[in-house]
Amino acid sequence: MSMYAVAIDHTLAGHHLDLLTKMFELRRRVLDNCHHDASASGDVEFDIYDMLKPTYLLAMSEEDLVGCVRVLPTTGPTMLRDTFATRLGPNQIPSGPTILESSRFCIASKCASDFDRNGLSRVAYVLFAAMIETMWNLSAQSIVMMTDLRTEHGLNRAGWPMRRLASPQLCSGTVLVPGLLQGSSEALERMSRHANVR
């Protein structure tokens, strides 16, 4: 099954309203029961960070949206620093022109359980590879994110190790951990190989 990623930044949003609507609908389905900070209106989910000119990465399979993640610069407000700040204790979340933040990482339910031996799905690998390419396209070197323990362990086993920024936090019944990922050609090659994409 062919799979690829599409990047949509704020300057192109008006040309891809159908895709973005599907993305917000996917976020509603995935996040509505998982995150107390999800903001829904009708059939879509959005929050204040969607108004800060993000780049959206969409995983596509045969013209069907199967996953998404939002990428923001850390030079402005971010979810980790501003929404999760009270849970992270005294640890400082790195920020600057060479650091991005990923958030609202979502995978369609039909693909979410298709795990490999590392505990990650092919859709996840497609999005991770796209995140690394987006770092370079935006002249960044690393990315911060909040993820669950399974994804953290999967990334470590798959060859893109995450450095923890604080202790794990319990959020709506899920144990989450903030971490930093460094972009590298080796990591991109590993994620692309696991995703079976060029």
Side-chain angles (χ1 to χ4, degrees):
M1 179 174 60
S2 63
M3 195 173 292
Y4 60 95
V6 175
I8 302 175
D9 73 10
H10 68 279
T11 64
L12 300 173
H15 300 287
H16 300 282
L17 293 179
D18 289 346
L19 267 181
L20 291 177
T21 298
K22 290 181 179 180
M23 181 200 71
F24 286 117
E25 291 172 346
L26 174 62
R27 280 173 38 172
R28 169 65 185 263
R29 292 193 298 270
V30 173
L31 297 175
D32 204 26
N33 296 322
C34 300
H35 295 276
H36 74 280
D37 59 350
S39 303
S41 176
D43 295 327
V44 300
E45 188 279 335
F46 60 91
D47 60 32
I48 59 173
Y49 304 101
D50 290 306
M51 296 185 282
L52 300 178
K53 301 179 179 179
T55 296
Y56 298 110
L57 306 179
L58 311 182
M60 306 295 297
S61 174
E62 299 173 355
E63 303 305 321
D64 188 22
L65 176 66
V66 292
C68 63
V69 64
R70 179 179 62 200
V71 177
L72 275 171
T74 59
T75 50
T78 64
M79 178 167 278
L80 258 183
R81 190 170 59 246
D82 298 290
T83 298
F84 289 106
T86 58
R87 304 192 195 119
L88 298 179
N91 296 280
Q92 294 295 313
I93 301 300
S95 62
T98 63
I99 303 174
L100 302 175
E101 180 203 60
S102 72
S103 57
R104 291 314 197 226
F105 191 100
C106 296
I107 296 176
S109 57
K110 64 181 179 180
C111 304
S113 59
D114 183 23
F115 301 137
D116 68 356
R117 59 186 176 83
N118 297 317
L120 297 174
S121 70
R122 186 183 176 201
V123 178
Y125 288 121
V126 169
L127 291 172
F128 289 141
M131 285 163 57
I132 297 172
E133 291 190 334
T134 300
M135 281 190 225
W136 296 339
N137 290 338
L138 297 179
S139 301
Q141 299 172 357
S142 56
I143 196 161
V144 293
M145 67 177 184
M146 182 80 86
T147 191
D148 57 38
L149 291 176
R150 185 186 67 201
T151 301
E152 179 198 30
H153 295 159
L155 282 166
N156 292 338
R157 290 193 297 267
W160 195 21
M162 188 179 83
R163 177 170 67 85
R164 284 190 179 185
L165 299 173
S167 301
Q169 309 287 321
L170 183 63
C171 177
S172 301
T174 302
V175 179
L176 301 177
V177 58
L180 178 74
L181 293 159
Q182 297 286 349
S184 71
S185 57
E186 293 81 9
L188 176 59
E189 192 278 330
R190 291 168 186 150
M191 297 302 103
S192 298
R193 186 177 66 248
H194 288 302
N196 192 26
V197 296
R198 290 182 295 176

